Amino acid sequence: MTGSTLRMLLALCLGPALDGGVWEAFAQTRPNQRPASCMGETRPDRLQGLSPEGDLVLASGQQARLSGIRLPDASPHRENALSWLGARIGQSALIQGSDSRDRWNRVSVRIRSAGEAPALDWAHGLVEAGLALVDAGLDGVFCQPEFLALEATARERRLGVWADERYKPLDANQSERLRERIGSFVLVEGRVRSIGERKQRTYLNFGGLWAEDFTIIVPRTTWKQMLDRGVGAEALKGRQIRARGILQPWQGTAFSIVIPDMIERLEGDRLPR
C-alpha cells in the first residue's frame, strides 16, 4: 500500500499551538464564540447508576457520558473516577446537552449538582481531582475550554493520573515509547518541524523520517477552522505544542483530534512537566 493511499485512509484531526500574539487572540475568542450546540436547554434529572462500562444511567432512562472529558483507562485511577461518580448516585442534577446519541446509544451531557450553591459541575470536579483527561474528540465541539487550565493545575500538582508515568505527556521524539502506546489516548509534546498542506488534509510533522516519526493529521474542514482563527502554517511551524488523541500506527505513529482547541502551545524549548 502506498503512502498516498494510507493517507487517504486516515481522516483524522488536530488543533494548534501558536505564536504569542496569535495564540492569545485565539484563546480570548473561544469563550465568547461557543457553538449554539453548547447552549442546550437545562433539565432536571438524577443519576440512577453506572453501567459496567462506566457510563451514567439517568433516571430519565438515558445513558450518558460527560462531555469534554475521558475517564482513565487503567487501575487504580479508573476505579477512583467511577467511585467519585458512584458517590453521586441518587443525587438530583441539572442536565444540559442534546438528545443525539452516539454509536453506543449515549448522550453527551454536562451535569451539575442541583440544590448546591455554587452547583458542582461533575466534569470540572473530575478534571480538578486528576480523575479525568480533557478530550472533546467524541463531541465534535469543545464547549468548556476552561477544562485545559483545570487539567494543567492538576498535572502541576501531580493529582490522580498525573502522578502516574503512564498518563504524563510523551515526547514526540521518543518513537519507541510512542509505538508502545498505539491504541491508547495520549498527550504528546514536541516541536512541529514541517507542515505538508494537501487538498484533503494537512500534516504536521515532528521529525524528518516519516517511517518512524510522529505526525498529526488535520482534515480539511478542521484546517480551515484553524486558518480562520489565524492558526496556519506560519503560526505552527517551529513551535512547541502539546496535542492529545488516540495514537495510531501510520508511517511511524499518527494522531487524530477533531477539535482545534486540543492543541496547546508550550513556552520555551524545554518540555514542561
Side-chain angles (χ1 to χ4, degrees):
M1 185 177 289
T2 65
S4 59
T5 303
L6 282 170
R7 287 184 176 180
M8 292 298 291
L9 293 176
L10 271 169
L12 306 171
C13 198
L14 137 240
L18 8 150
D19 198 25
V22 176
W23 175 260
E24 290 174 7
F26 165 69
Q28 290 170 3
T29 62
R30 294 297 300 143
N32 298 321
Q33 295 182 0
R34 299 185 186 185
S37 56
C38 295
M39 308 298 179
E41 182 180 353
T42 300
R43 61 189 185 276
D45 211 322
R46 178 170 48 83
L47 180 62
Q48 184 168 297
L50 299 174
S51 75
E53 295 75 27
D55 297 323
L56 309 177
V57 180
L58 303 178
S60 60
Q62 291 181 315
Q63 192 154 290
R65 58 174 294 274
L66 293 172
S67 62
I69 66 169
R70 170 183 293 265
L71 297 184
D73 59 1
S75 298
H77 310 295
R78 183 170 181 82
E79 288 77 9
N80 291 340
L82 293 177
S83 178
W84 191 99
L85 290 168
R88 284 151 182 82
I89 292 175
Q91 286 189 6
S92 297
L94 299 174
I95 311 293
Q96 185 179 35
S98 71
D99 289 326
S100 61
R101 300 172 185 267
D102 62 17
R103 58 179 175 169
W104 296 282
N105 201 37
R106 304 174 303 182
V107 293
S108 179
V109 298
R110 180 180 184 182
I111 302 183
R112 285 166 284 185
S113 296
E116 294 184 15
L120 172 66
D121 184 297
W122 293 8
H124 278 214
L126 285 164
V127 173
E128 284 183 307
L131 296 177
L133 296 85
V134 178
D135 177 23
L138 293 176
D139 299 317
V141 294
F142 191 35
C143 295
Q144 295 172 272
E146 65 273 17
F147 279 169
L148 292 169
L150 293 174
E151 184 192 85
T153 299
R155 190 164 53 244
E156 290 169 3
R157 296 175 62 188
R158 298 174 61 84
L159 298 178
V161 300
W162 306 115
D164 189 331
E165 288 296 324
R166 173 182 173 82
Y167 293 94
K168 292 180 180 179
L170 300 169
D171 189 328
N173 294 317
Q174 295 181 341
S175 302
E176 186 174 340
R177 286 194 66 196
L178 289 171
R179 285 193 293 270
E180 292 173 353
R181 299 299 305 281
I182 285 174
S184 300
F185 180 85
V186 296
L187 277 64
V188 178
E189 296 177 346
R191 187 180 301 280
V192 179
R193 301 293 178 181
S194 64
I195 298 176
E197 296 185 63
R198 303 294 184 266
K199 184 175 181 180
Q200 295 301 321
R201 54 193 60 87
T202 295
Y203 302 91
L204 306 189
N205 302 307
F206 289 75
L209 300 175
W210 285 11
E212 299 178 12
D213 294 319
F214 175 65
T215 301
I216 293 176
I217 303 171
V218 190
R220 180 175 61 180
T221 54
T222 306
W223 187 241
K224 184 179 185 304
Q225 292 175 20
M226 294 164 62
L227 292 174
D228 290 344
R229 299 177 188 181
V231 187
E234 291 185 3
L236 289 168
K237 187 176 180 180
R239 302 300 178 184
Q240 289 269 104
I241 67 173
R242 177 189 300 121
R244 59 189 70 214
I246 297 177
L247 209 54
Q248 303 290 339
W250 181 82
Q251 296 188 354
T253 53
F255 204 60
S256 62
I257 301 175
V258 295
I259 307 293
D261 310 67
M262 295 294 96
I263 296 262
E264 305 166 77
R265 183 176 64 90
L266 300 178
E267 298 290 349
D269 293 330
R270 188 163 176 260
L271 297 181
R273 289 291 185 271

